[in-house]
Amino acid sequence: MESIKASLPDVIQQRIEDLVNAQTTDEEMAAHIKELGCRIAALEALAPEEKGEEAGQLGEAVHRLCERIRRDYVAIAYRQGLVDGMRMDKLAAEE
């Protein structure tokens, strides 16, 4: 039990630091998505008329890729939580 008491503050502190230092808060994500939409529109406006549809498709592909990256970050955070939980279980079993 002593090893749990010794490790728990470090684990909790690391997770708190992760949350505090996270760059993807809801407000920031909304602003980034809005900016992405504006940039896609600018890309479409820059493309010649015959390439406009192609530029729009590229912009949409970029948007989908950003969504996939966001989901991957969420998955990474979930896995980190599982790793932390397994560490705690291991420490508890040692006691």
Side-chain angles (χ1 to χ4, degrees):
M1 193 59 142
E2 290 302 314
S3 60
I4 292 175
K5 288 180 183 177
S7 299
L8 188 57
D10 292 336
V11 171
I12 291 173
Q13 184 63 35
Q14 289 171 356
R15 295 296 78 70
I16 290 172
E17 288 174 9
D18 290 345
L19 290 171
V20 169
N21 296 326
Q23 297 296 311
T24 56
T25 62
D26 291 342
E27 293 171 353
E28 289 175 354
M29 286 295 289
H32 293 321
I33 295 296
K34 185 177 179 179
E35 182 180 352
L36 178 62
C38 291
R39 301 249 174 150
I40 290 171
L43 174 65
E44 290 172 347
L46 287 174
E49 195 169 305
E50 64 274 2
K51 297 285 186 175
E53 185 176 329
E54 191 176 324
Q57 291 172 351
L58 179 59
E60 290 301 316
V62 168
H63 182 68
R64 286 190 302 274
L65 180 59
C66 290
E67 285 296 312
R68 285 179 41 208
I69 291 169
R70 183 188 61 78
R71 285 192 302 271
D72 287 346
Y73 274 113
V74 169
I76 289 168
Y78 177 77
R79 285 192 299 269
Q80 184 61 51
L82 290 176
V83 168
D84 290 344
M86 288 188 302
R87 285 182 191 159
M88 293 303 298
D89 284 346
K90 184 178 177 184
L91 288 172
E94 290 174 0
E95 292 299 319

